[in-house]
Amino acid sequence: IASLFKSLKSETGSTLVESPYSNVQDWISTGSYAFNILLSGSPFKGVAAGRATAFAGLSGVGKSYMTMSTIKHAQEKGYYAIYIDTENAVSSDFAKDIGCNAEYIWHENLFVIEEVRNFVINKVGDILNKNPGTKIMLVMDSLGNLSSEKDKRDIKEDKRNADMGSRAKALKDMLRNMIHFCAFHHIPYIY
């Protein structure tokens, strides 16, 4: 059966063992053995490159701390972090206190879902196309603070209409596109 499948000569498919998307090529520690075990089943792994990982919890439980700790470990493996900050809540002092090199964290302030999607797919995609092999990690803090283009238009036009699902649709579209993009480029993506 494997030879039958291989005869398909599909550019998008392979056996699961050969799949560059299904098999994680790199793991990044969070700095916490317990958290690594929760994420990967191993105290030495953690966040998978090419996958999206959500850090969720109440305000103040340490999501940003764990994210910055993961960036620190990613930097030790040669990754350059792109930090999409929707809350204006991170600082270079915070990053340095955790042990990150803040010079190697690109800080992008974006607040609109579609702008985040376009930035990642177009700008980050362009960087990767021009510099193959560059190790990038994406971080979005926080997903819940993003607005949609409709929200942005409504504010400009002083409208007070309720959102009838446009934000949810835009978030779904952004996540779908970014998850495929990150899998293709083996980018760890924390949000």
Side-chain angles (χ1 to χ4, degrees):
I1 290 181
S3 64
L4 291 174
F5 281 121
K6 286 181 181 182
S7 72
L8 291 173
K9 296 183 181 173
S10 169
E11 292 180 22
T12 57
S14 66
T15 66
L16 190 55
V17 171
E18 298 166 335
S19 174
Y21 310 113
S22 297
N23 299 303
V24 177
Q25 296 181 0
D26 197 11
W27 295 90
I28 300 167
S29 175
T30 64
S32 165
Y33 292 140
F35 199 41
N36 287 347
I37 290 169
L38 289 171
L39 291 172
S40 67
S42 166
F44 308 108
K45 291 184 178 176
V47 173
R51 304 273 167 87
T53 304
F55 291 177
L58 298 173
S59 179
V61 298
K63 299 179 300 292
S64 294
Y65 177 86
M66 291 307 298
T67 298
M68 201 56 74
S69 178
T70 306
I71 290 172
K72 173 188 176 254
H73 288 86
Q75 286 181 334
E76 291 169 357
K77 296 182 92 175
Y79 282 86
Y80 187 90
I82 297 173
Y83 200 106
I84 300 168
D85 186 4
T86 68
E87 298 179 337
N88 299 314
V90 70
S91 70
S92 61
D93 288 339
F94 177 63
K96 290 174 188 174
D97 289 346
I98 293 172
C100 294
N101 182 343
E103 290 291 326
Y104 291 97
I105 300 172
W106 182 261
H107 185 247
E108 190 72 30
N109 282 83
L110 295 170
F111 310 101
V112 178
I113 298 163
E114 295 84 352
E115 291 173 358
V116 170
R117 179 201 60 206
N118 294 345
F119 169 79
V120 170
I121 304 301
N122 297 326
K123 302 276 184 170
V124 176
D126 191 42
I127 289 168
L128 292 170
N129 288 333
K130 290 178 181 174
N131 304 283
T134 301
K135 295 170 88 174
I136 290 178
M137 172 184 209
L138 281 175
V139 173
M140 183 183 314
D141 187 5
S142 97
L143 186 68
N145 208 41
L146 288 169
S147 296
S148 69
E149 282 287 344
K150 182 191 178 311
D151 293 335
K152 190 176 169 181
R153 279 192 312 273
D154 286 351
I155 290 168
K156 278 185 177 180
E157 297 169 10
D158 198 28
K159 290 184 179 177
R160 292 166 179 79
N161 300 348
D163 185 340
M164 302 302 288
S166 65
R167 183 176 180 278
K169 289 176 187 172
L171 274 173
K172 182 179 176 183
D173 176 64
M174 179 197 71
L175 286 172
R176 183 183 65 246
N177 282 286
M178 287 178 61
I179 287 169
H180 292 303
F181 178 84
C182 290
F184 182 79
H185 292 288
H186 307 289
I187 296 172
Y189 171 37
I190 297 175
Y191 64 94

